[in-house]
Amino acid sequence: MPDINLPNNWQCRPYQEKAWEAWERGVKRQLLIWHRRAGKDDYALHKTCVAAHMRIGNYWHCLPKYEQARKAIWEAINPHSGLRRINEVFPEAIRKRTDNTSMLIELRCGSIWRIVGSDNPDSLVGAPPVGIVFSEWALSNPSAWAYLAPALAENGGWADFITTPRGKNHVYAMYQMAKKNPSWFAEILSVNETGFPLDRVEEQRLEYHSIYGEEVGNSLIDQEYFCSFNAATLGSYYGKSIERAEANNRLGLSLHDPALPVYTAWDLGISDQTVIWCFQVSSDQIRVIDLIYGTGKNLGQYVNELNGKPYNYADDFVPHDARVRDLGTGRTRLETLKSLGRKPRLVVRHSVEDGINALRVTIEGNSLWDKNCDHGLEAMKQYHAEWDDERKMFKDKPYHDWTSDFADAARYMALAWREVKAVTPKQQRPKELKIMASDTGEIISNYSVLDILAAKKRRQSAERY
């Protein structure tokens, strides 16, 4: 076996040395917000290979979507050398086994390196890594780190987050925390700090102008090369609407009113997340008070979480696919929710375009949003139209990623809340019919005849589903 010096045929660029030295000093959390073409993945891959020979264990390179990892990392070719990137980092001489199907490399030293995706956080649970790189962290599902952080804290592992900005999302919040935390190394490097040729930036700017127009093109340049957090997500459906709501002080509030009933709007996930928005209606206003989400749970677990909150629940608005029977139980999710004591109600049928417009109107209208909803609002800011790279235009459908489930559930909520008759505390109806006898023998009911007929009509309507 030939002698191999690690890192293999590679050395840090001058501006990367501070981060590498911090790792060598024992810093186990790094947030590297480096500009496009700053060598983020090369740095992280070579560091991982060295780490894998210093400590035997599992090492992961995590991208936003598993399906994109093959092209971006596994099959990527270094334009300067003409060699596959993984062959440069992990030369054949140090490998024991290579699994092309699962994109896994077992090293002779005993460590295993593999590629994973943050689009299904539940799939990451299992044998935990001792080192992980989150590539394109700004586009990744932040829940992936929530799943893995406890394991790495327990086993003393390290984590690198490498990215360019994508608005003031979870990366921005993480940077605000990390720059004050001595156990983290956090750094923003724009082209002004790395010496990247500015004439190449201007070439890219002209190309962006021709594709997106001058205003959007300049925003992208600021974001990708000057690491600005102020540029909105390209093609965002709700970004500007949420910004307007924030400017009008309608976000980050404390809203729950115990006198009002609480409705819910669900996006029911199987392989994806389940997302549940909780809202109240007062006069002609929606008050979005809470958010529940997760993966890998059954409906009973979500119902238990809802029941653990101090809310007086009314209807649960669910999409029409809730009528499909589960293969395992043979029951529809409507039936399951009813058996768990919920009150499922189908959202009116609609096109995605109509739902998107309804949600825009809701956000920009007289809506209020509790601080419990911040994570979902950040997801909705990033929810965007899919880009057609061949035609150089946006497609007529949204791009499906981790943000889609939050946006879909909010879309159902936007269609549902206007169906709800606004109820003031004095107008609230009791939960159940009560019949009493007076001293004279007269029968007294707390329901009027109209109330009884309306309740019967609702029950018959629910039974049809």
Side-chain angles (χ1 to χ4, degrees):
M1 175 177 165
D3 291 334
I4 302 291
N5 293 319
L6 298 177
N8 181 51
N9 294 326
W10 181 88
Q11 64 180 13
C12 282
R13 301 175 189 180
Y15 57 82
Q16 297 172 336
E17 291 176 356
K18 283 179 63 177
W20 190 283
E21 290 168 359
W23 171 60
E24 289 183 333
R25 291 196 311 270
V27 176
K28 294 181 178 179
R29 302 288 183 269
Q30 295 198 352
L31 174 59
L32 307 178
I33 305 170
W34 293 353
H35 67 79
R36 185 180 179 190
R37 297 162 74 179
K40 296 184 288 294
D41 279 303
D42 278 343
Y43 165 88
L45 288 167
H46 282 285
K47 171 184 168 179
T48 301
C49 185
V50 172
H53 287 81
M54 295 172 62
R55 178 183 178 183
I56 307 306
N58 291 310
Y59 293 83
W60 294 355
H61 200 91
C62 183
L63 278 85
K65 298 184 102 175
Y66 181 77
E67 65 187 34
Q68 77 187 97
R70 187 171 297 276
K71 180 179 178 181
I73 300 294
W74 190 259
E75 296 177 350
I77 294 176
N78 185 336
H80 302 292
S81 66
L83 300 175
R84 284 181 66 184
R85 176 176 281 176
I86 60 168
N87 291 342
E88 289 185 319
V89 177
F90 306 102
E92 291 288 346
I94 68 171
R95 300 189 202 181
K96 180 180 179 180
R97 177 173 64 96
T98 302
D99 187 332
N100 187 62
T101 301
S102 59
M103 294 186 286
L104 175 150
I105 293 175
E106 183 179 357
L107 302 172
R108 291 183 182 276
C109 68
S111 289
I112 294 177
W113 175 85
R114 69 185 305 164
I115 293 175
V116 297
S118 74
D119 48 339
N120 187 1
D122 192 50
S123 69
L124 304 180
V125 177
V130 295
I132 183 167
V133 175
F134 288 97
S135 182
E136 295 290 352
W137 176 234
L139 300 178
S140 299
N141 187 344
S143 297
W145 176 234
Y147 273 87
L148 295 170
L152 267 74
E154 183 178 347
N155 66 27
W158 56 265
D160 283 2
F161 305 83
I162 59 176
T163 191
T164 52
R166 289 294 189 277
K168 291 184 177 179
N169 61 1
H170 55 280
V171 172
Y172 181 79
M174 179 180 278
Y175 179 70
Q176 300 307 311
M177 174 277 299
K179 69 180 182 179
K180 302 174 186 176
N181 191 330
S183 63
W184 281 70
F185 178 86
E187 183 178 56
I188 298 177
L189 290 178
S190 74
V191 292
N192 292 326
E193 287 77 45
T194 65
F196 188 84
L198 294 180
D199 58 338
R200 289 161 68 180
V201 176
E202 294 309 312
E203 288 177 9
Q204 186 68 68
R205 188 189 300 274
L206 292 175
E207 181 178 333
Y208 281 169
H209 284 179
S210 68
I211 298 172
Y212 306 111
E214 188 171 326
E215 182 179 354
V216 175
N218 288 339
S219 293
L220 282 174
I221 290 293
D222 288 344
Q223 175 179 276
E224 294 185 352
Y225 288 95
F226 294 95
C227 295
S228 170
F229 283 100
N230 294 321
T233 300
L234 187 65
S236 171
Y237 287 106
Y238 308 119
K240 290 188 180 298
S241 299
I242 294 173
E243 287 175 6
R244 294 188 188 104
E246 186 173 20
N248 290 326
N249 300 315
R250 293 191 282 108
L251 310 184
L253 307 173
S254 295
L255 292 175
H256 176 226
D257 183 346
L260 295 174
V262 175
Y263 299 84
T264 64
W266 300 52
D267 181 64
L268 295 160
I270 300 176
S271 59
D272 292 336
Q273 300 176 99
T274 288
V275 175
I276 308 167
W277 292 94
C278 302
F279 65 97
Q280 298 179 303
V281 178
S282 175
S283 299
D284 194 28
Q285 179 184 71
I286 180 172
R287 304 157 60 91
V288 190
I289 65 169
D290 211 341
L291 175 66
I292 292 173
Y293 58 94
T295 58
K297 300 178 184 179
N298 59 44
L299 288 177
Q301 290 172 296
Y302 291 111
V303 168
N304 287 338
E305 189 169 352
L306 286 168
N307 291 342
K309 294 180 178 288
Y311 300 154
N312 172 29
Y313 290 106
D315 294 336
D316 303 295
F317 289 90
V318 297
H320 281 257
D321 60 13
R323 301 175 70 175
V324 177
R325 296 192 180 277
D326 290 327
L327 294 177
T329 65
R331 304 170 71 185
T332 69
R333 282 179 278 183
L334 274 175
E335 292 169 340
T336 300
L337 285 170
K338 288 179 183 178
S339 71
L340 293 169
R342 302 302 299 185
K343 303 172 185 175
R345 177 175 169 184
L346 294 178
V347 176
V348 62
R349 287 192 180 275
H350 64 282
S351 68
V352 174
E353 293 79 8
D354 288 342
I356 287 173
N357 288 332
L359 182 51
R360 279 201 188 107
V361 171
T362 294
I363 295 170
E364 295 197 20
N366 194 22
S367 63
L368 300 176
W369 300 76
D370 196 281
K371 58 191 175 187
N372 294 330
C373 303
D374 287 352
H375 180 72
L377 287 167
E378 285 299 336
M380 287 161 57
K381 284 182 183 178
Q382 296 183 59
Y383 182 66
H384 61 282
E386 186 172 359
W387 177 255
D388 188 329
D389 204 42
E390 292 184 3
R391 300 172 62 197
K392 305 300 181 186
M393 61 184 296
F394 289 109
K395 297 181 181 180
D396 293 331
K397 63 178 182 179
Y399 180 72
H400 186 78
D401 61 7
W402 71 274
T403 68
S404 303
D405 310 305
F406 294 91
D408 288 347
R411 175 160 48 89
Y412 304 145
M413 177 175 66
L415 292 160
W417 79 271
R418 292 189 183 280
E419 294 185 27
V420 176
K421 183 179 179 181
V423 180
T424 65
K426 289 183 179 179
Q427 293 172 322
Q428 280 186 282
R429 300 299 186 190
K431 287 186 176 181
E432 59 185 16
L433 173 65
K434 293 181 180 179
I435 299 175
M436 299 164 286
S438 68
D439 294 338
T440 62
E442 181 184 2
I443 299 299
I444 302 172
S445 170
N446 64 339
Y447 266 32
S448 69
V449 173
L450 291 177
D451 289 333
I452 295 172
L453 291 175
K456 181 178 180 181
K457 184 177 180 181
R458 287 195 299 272
R459 184 172 64 252
Q460 291 173 337
S461 177
E463 289 172 351
R464 287 202 297 270
Y465 298 117

